[in-house]
Amino acid sequence: MKLDIRNFRSIRDQSVELAPITVVYGPNGSGKSSLLYSLLAMKDIVLNPNSSTDSFFDFGFVNLGSFEALVHNHHPDKEIQFQIEAKAAVNNVKWSAQFSKQDGRFLLSMNAGKDAELLSFELPVSFPYRVDNNVQHKVNLTNQSVNVIWDGINAHLESVDTSVPNNQSARDLATILNTPVEILRKTGAVPLQRGFSRDSYSVVPVSPSLINEDEMASLLVHDKYLEPRVSRYLERITGRELRVRVRPGTSVFTLDVSERSTGVGTEIVNDGFGVNQLAWFLARTLHSGTTWMCVEEPETHLHPSAIRKMAYALVDIVHEEGKRFLITTHSEALVLALLSEVTRERLKPEEVAFYLTHKEGRETHFERQEVNELGQVDGGLSSFMEGELEEIAAFFGREE
């Protein structure tokens, strides 16, 4: 998958290719979070087009502000542009939203690999957009002609000859065209503000956003298959098991953890916050309604040995659960652990992408650092290593 971002916060014009595990690191304030927020903003546009453009940047756990606050260099005459490109079968499908304060347009195109463009749509809109307009394109399939009808968000097909029902090839085409927005619908966030802060909860309905703490706790009750999966990974990383215990005759429940080595149990709020936030992260990640996870600093409050085990678990979650991660981090231990998984051949070089983030003037740049089969990074991990080399030299009393 590939993201193209223009005029969003400090990102003027950048393209980033995403692997199953994409890790973004660099100095504070360099623009790492903006990459995650662009994906979440696209999701908001897909789910809530009948909103003002300012609403596209309210993610529940953080509200980034108005269009004027977020457009690059605060130029109100510029357009913010987000584009997601995904591979579906042998086709590359691009969905794009370009907008100013009120007006904008959606674009959709499909290419067969690197060959000529097969389909292309453009739909001008004004926000809020009630999804009450569309464009059409006639397509000749193997044994019938169909109209592709696209409303800026969803594509569906209708037979030109109404006596002929849509066949499998028509249904496949609709699925391919809707691939980018389906990815966005299944994108979730693991923000920095996460964890369980109470000793007990009452069961509440669960919404698709899954940001509210009560909803996250209730998710473990609503989905009885989620608890053992979370507990499995939590135990592998921290040596603790998770249990959801409902008080008889009530809708009140507790989230408890027990230490494997001692058998001592307690409410999760009374354990260390590293375990607490990790359980939240695993529950959100392993939820069946999510494929792509935007994770801010998964290493928060974790000891380096737990960070390494978490990296190993991320690889297993990608392979066993089919999940995908876009991660920002300041953790050298996390990066090195993922590189060691490449060395062990548990992770292929193409399954991980590392980006060094830096600013030139007012602009953010994402520099991809290529990984080979030995787990080596082209150019080295300069973002992490330079400071360490200075400290080592000082420790040994050497200037160079």
Side-chain angles (χ1 to χ4, degrees):
M1 193 168 74
K2 180 181 177 184
L3 301 181
D4 290 287
I5 307 153
R6 292 181 183 174
N7 296 325
F8 177 55
R9 302 180 91 189
S10 59
I11 303 175
R12 187 183 65 83
D13 189 357
Q14 290 287 293
S15 295
V16 177
E17 294 184 357
L18 303 185
I21 300 177
T22 303
V23 182
V24 185
Y25 49 84
N28 294 109
S30 58
K32 299 184 299 296
S33 295
S34 295
L35 183 60
L36 272 66
Y37 293 159
S38 67
L39 195 55
L40 297 177
M42 281 190 270
K43 177 183 179 179
D44 271 6
I45 296 170
V46 165
L47 295 182
N48 306 296
N50 192 21
S51 303
S52 68
T53 54
D54 293 349
S55 300
F56 298 152
F57 308 103
D58 184 355
F59 307 133
F61 62 91
V62 64
N63 186 342
L64 300 181
S66 65
F67 176 89
E68 294 88 345
L70 299 171
V71 67
H72 184 63
N73 281 339
H74 309 297
H75 287 308
D77 56 331
K78 290 185 177 180
E79 286 188 331
I80 293 175
Q81 178 178 342
F82 299 123
Q83 179 174 279
I84 175 174
E85 179 179 351
K87 191 171 184 64
V90 297
N91 305 283
N92 292 330
V93 186
K94 300 178 183 179
W95 178 89
S96 177
Q98 303 173 13
F99 54 95
S100 57
K101 178 67 175 177
Q102 290 183 317
D103 298 321
R105 57 193 177 278
F106 293 120
L107 299 98
L108 177 69
S109 65
M110 182 181 77
N111 296 356
K114 296 182 180 179
D115 296 333
E117 193 169 66
L118 300 179
L119 279 174
S120 180
F121 301 90
E122 181 174 344
L123 182 65
V125 297
S126 295
F127 295 102
Y129 172 52
R130 297 191 299 272
V131 198
D132 54 357
N133 200 0
N134 64 70
V135 288
Q136 301 185 25
H137 197 299
K138 183 178 178 181
V139 177
N140 294 317
L141 300 176
T142 305
N143 56 0
Q144 70 176 132
S145 295
V146 296
N147 277 334
V148 180
I149 303 172
W150 184 61
D151 59 20
I153 308 295
N154 302 296
H156 68 276
L157 276 61
E158 292 182 353
S159 297
V160 175
D161 182 357
T162 56
S163 64
V164 180
N166 287 340
N167 59 18
Q168 185 61 46
S169 60
R171 291 191 292 272
D172 289 345
L173 177 58
T175 299
I176 290 170
L177 291 172
N178 287 319
T179 296
V181 296
E182 288 305 313
I183 290 173
L184 294 172
R185 286 192 176 100
K186 293 182 179 181
T187 295
V190 180
L192 280 172
Q193 301 87 358
R194 56 182 179 263
F196 301 103
S197 62
R198 302 200 301 277
D199 64 341
S200 63
Y201 295 87
S202 296
V203 179
V204 299
V206 175
S207 70
S209 64
L210 278 175
I211 295 299
N212 180 279
E213 178 184 343
D214 292 276
E215 290 183 341
M216 280 302 305
S218 297
L219 178 64
L220 290 160
V221 177
H222 287 290
D223 186 350
K224 68 177 182 179
Y225 303 110
L226 180 60
E227 176 202 320
R229 292 161 67 204
V230 172
S231 183
R232 175 192 176 213
Y233 287 105
L234 189 66
E235 194 223 357
R236 287 166 60 180
I237 300 169
T238 67
R240 287 163 171 79
E241 297 177 331
L242 175 71
R243 292 291 180 266
V244 179
R245 303 191 184 280
V246 180
R247 293 175 182 171
T250 73
S251 62
V252 177
F253 64 96
T254 61
L255 301 178
D256 301 338
V257 291
S258 60
E259 192 171 1
R260 179 181 56 185
S261 59
T262 64
V264 174
T266 185
E267 298 85 359
I268 197 169
V269 71
N270 289 316
D271 206 326
F273 190 72
V275 175
N276 188 326
Q277 68 88 17
L278 186 58
W280 198 105
F281 162 58
L282 290 170
R284 185 67 181 91
T285 296
L286 296 170
H287 174 49
S288 59
T290 306
T291 301
W292 269 97
M293 292 306 306
C294 298
V295 188
E296 292 190 273
E297 301 179 25
E299 71 273 10
T300 298
H301 296 282
L302 291 179
H303 186 274
S305 62
I307 293 173
R308 289 192 290 272
K309 292 177 182 178
M310 180 187 65
Y312 308 153
L314 289 177
V315 175
D316 290 333
I317 291 171
V318 165
H319 292 156
E320 297 173 8
E321 309 285 346
K323 304 297 183 177
R324 301 290 182 259
F325 295 96
L326 175 56
I327 295 169
T328 65
T329 186
H330 293 287
S331 173
E332 178 188 344
L334 175 63
V335 173
L336 292 177
L338 290 171
L339 290 173
S340 73
E341 291 290 79
V342 176
T343 303
R344 297 186 186 101
E345 298 184 350
R346 282 182 14 94
L347 187 65
K348 297 177 182 178
E350 61 270 21
E351 291 180 318
V352 62
F354 293 102
Y355 284 92
L356 173 61
T357 310
H358 59 94
K359 264 188 176 180
E360 295 180 7
R362 298 179 178 179
E363 295 183 21
T364 289
H365 294 267
F366 300 103
E367 177 187 346
R368 181 149 187 186
Q369 300 194 288
E370 298 295 337
V371 179
N372 64 22
E373 302 81 18
L374 300 177
Q376 298 168 329
V377 175
D378 184 24
L381 296 174
S382 60
S383 174
F384 295 111
M385 299 302 188
E386 286 174 353
E388 285 195 13
L389 290 173
E390 291 176 4
E391 297 297 330
I392 291 170
F395 181 79
F396 286 106
R398 298 173 59 184
E399 293 183 358
E400 296 182 3

